Amino acid sequence: MADKPTKGLADVVAASTAVSDIDGKAGRLFYRGYDIHDLAGRATFEETAHLLQRGKLPNREELGAFGEELARGRELGALAAANIAEIAEKQKPMEALRSLVSLSAADDADRDSIAPDANLRKAARLTAQQPLLVAGYHAARTGGTPPEPNPELSIAGNFLLQVTGREPAAREVELFDTCLVLHADHTMNASTFAARVCAATLSDMHSAIVAAIGTLKGPLHGGANEQVMKTLESLSPDDVARSVREKLDAHEKIMGFGHRVYKTEDPRATHLRRMSQELAEASGDDTYYRMSKEMEEVVFETKGLYPNVDFYAATVYHYLGIPTDLFTPVFSISRMAGWTAHVIEQHADNRLIRPDSEYIGERDQKWKPIEER
């Protein structure tokens, strides 16, 4: 008898990859062999994107050339620019990004090619454009236009500038840049798998990224950090422990805890906790950080669950001035580096992804004319 299928493809190896790896038991994450603890706070997001997309950490000359390529790609296509205001009026953030990335393909010079050099150019343009799409959407829905990018600022710095409308402090840029590094890739998660399935049909990179964004839109994959912030805002600072215990007793899910892969603390959460504390103290109001710490203690004491990457990311983004409903779109900015790297890898050594299934329906049914049914 054939083995029963594993629900959700748990523990099923769906692809070979050199992009990233996870040791769930030890709580470790690697980008092309580099421990995330070595990269976080050291490598910039631009360096990390180069590592993921092009296979190596760049030297100074390579980083300069990559930065120039990103700068050239930092412009919305005509079709996306012409429609962003109407899309912002009618669609929520992740729906809008799905539409805008699709429209961006029309103005991409390499849209009809999946050749390796074309894929590298598209990966750089998508990485450069995603922050503009998120910031442009936010400005359009509030009736304004984002400030022009500052050529002296990084991707992280320009995004904070364009979303908040103010020149960010250097330390804010450093911390947000680390956030982008921490979220840049995470092996075969749902959105990455969707991108690779699409790419495996030899569809183009933009289509694969649209598939990834559509998958990230689902609340079981994206949106946990937004829900964490909403939960914090719904609680009284003086009543966190009781409220959380009541939710747990009622079998309500507390977002931001537990992970399907990690059996100990998510290594990204380790950094985000420290960043949240630093930003909270700098803001002069550490209420949400203190509430988060209390929630963490209660959930671990009650359920033995560790916080995942989404839990402290929520307060980090909040203290940086990013609107709550843009938290998942921000995830797409960082994950664009990983998604595109996986599409490049899939196209380079492709086989159509076509899993089997177990049929559980009726058998040996007999057809009857419609008059006899």
Side-chain angles (χ1 to χ4, degrees):
M1 181 182 291
D3 292 338
K4 286 282 186 180
T6 303
K7 283 192 174 182
L9 298 181
D11 301 319
V12 173
V13 176
S16 296
T17 182
V19 177
S20 64
D21 188 31
I22 295 170
D23 182 341
K25 290 182 179 179
R28 300 184 72 187
L29 169 63
F30 304 88
Y31 294 168
R32 294 198 182 274
Y34 292 91
D35 193 308
I36 194 66
H37 293 311
D38 286 337
L39 297 175
R42 294 175 175 175
T44 64
F45 179 60
E46 285 81 354
E47 288 177 281
T48 303
H50 191 285
L51 170 66
L52 295 173
Q53 295 168 354
R54 305 190 177 197
K56 59 174 288 193
L57 282 173
N59 59 32
R60 194 171 299 279
E61 182 180 348
E62 290 166 334
L63 182 59
F66 188 55
E68 290 174 2
E69 187 174 355
L70 291 171
R72 289 194 300 272
R74 197 179 290 141
E75 184 177 354
L76 297 187
L79 196 57
N83 287 277
I84 194 167
E86 185 174 0
I87 286 172
E89 182 182 342
K90 296 180 179 178
Q91 292 190 309
K92 294 179 180 178
M94 288 304 293
E95 296 168 347
L97 287 180
R98 183 187 61 203
S99 300
L100 290 167
V101 170
S102 185
L103 288 176
S104 297
D107 294 305
D108 194 293
D110 292 304
R111 64 183 179 274
D112 295 324
S113 176
I114 61 170
D117 57 343
N119 271 348
L120 287 175
R121 290 192 294 269
K122 284 190 284 189
R125 283 193 288 268
L126 281 161
T127 302
Q129 289 171 7
Q130 194 69 2
L132 296 183
L133 292 177
V134 178
Y137 167 84
H138 178 59
R141 69 178 179 173
T142 55
T145 56
E148 286 296 313
N150 180 346
E152 301 300 317
L153 290 177
S154 62
I155 285 175
N158 269 310
F159 179 74
L160 291 178
L161 167 67
Q162 292 195 299
V163 164
T164 65
R166 62 174 176 81
E167 193 82 17
R171 185 56 178 159
E172 290 179 316
V173 174
E174 291 173 358
L175 292 175
F176 184 55
D177 189 79
T178 299
C179 288
L180 297 182
V181 171
L182 291 171
H183 287 85
D185 197 59
H186 207 242
T187 70
M188 203 59 65
N189 57 83
S191 56
T192 298
F193 183 56
R196 290 192 75 132
V197 169
C198 183
T201 68
L202 298 186
S203 190
D204 65 286
M205 183 175 283
H206 282 81
S207 294
I209 298 306
V210 170
I213 291 173
T215 306
L216 183 62
K217 176 179 175 290
L220 292 185
H221 182 25
N225 46 19
E226 179 180 345
Q227 293 306 314
V228 169
M229 198 65 230
K230 289 181 177 178
T231 298
L232 288 169
E233 291 171 338
S234 73
L235 300 177
S236 166
D238 301 321
D239 203 23
V240 173
R242 184 190 65 80
S243 298
V244 171
R245 288 193 179 96
E246 283 184 354
K247 288 177 181 293
L248 293 173
D249 289 343
H251 304 290
E252 292 183 33
K253 184 175 177 61
I254 305 292
M255 300 301 288
F257 290 93
H259 197 282
R260 185 146 154 181
V261 177
Y262 295 113
K263 307 307 178 189
T264 183
E265 179 166 288
D266 184 329
R268 301 165 298 176
T270 306
H271 294 274
L272 288 161
R273 183 190 292 107
R274 289 198 297 265
M275 292 158 63
S276 177
Q277 181 178 12
E278 179 180 340
L279 286 165
E281 292 172 353
S283 76
D285 182 1
D286 67 352
T287 302
Y288 285 131
Y289 171 73
R290 287 188 292 102
M291 292 172 68
S292 298
K293 279 292 293 178
E294 190 170 356
M295 283 182 67
E296 178 185 357
E297 291 164 4
V298 172
V299 172
F300 187 78
E301 174 189 307
T302 307
K303 294 292 185 179
L305 294 175
Y306 295 91
N308 58 38
V309 69
D310 294 306
F311 186 66
Y312 281 103
T315 44
V316 169
Y317 292 165
H318 171 78
Y319 286 124
L320 288 171
I322 299 171
T324 301
D325 69 346
L326 293 186
F327 287 3
T328 305
V330 167
F331 182 104
S332 78
I333 294 172
S334 53
R335 191 53 59 85
M336 190 63 73
W339 286 336
T340 52
H342 279 275
V343 173
I344 290 168
E345 186 176 63
Q346 186 67 43
H347 280 161
D349 183 23
N350 188 60
R351 186 178 182 185
L352 183 68
I353 298 174
R354 204 293 192 186
D356 204 353
S357 62
E358 178 194 28
Y359 178 70
I360 60 171
E362 299 288 345
R363 295 186 183 276
D364 301 319
Q365 297 275 62
K366 303 299 181 183
W367 183 87
K368 292 180 180 180
I370 194 167
E371 295 81 9
E372 298 178 21
R373 295 174 206 161

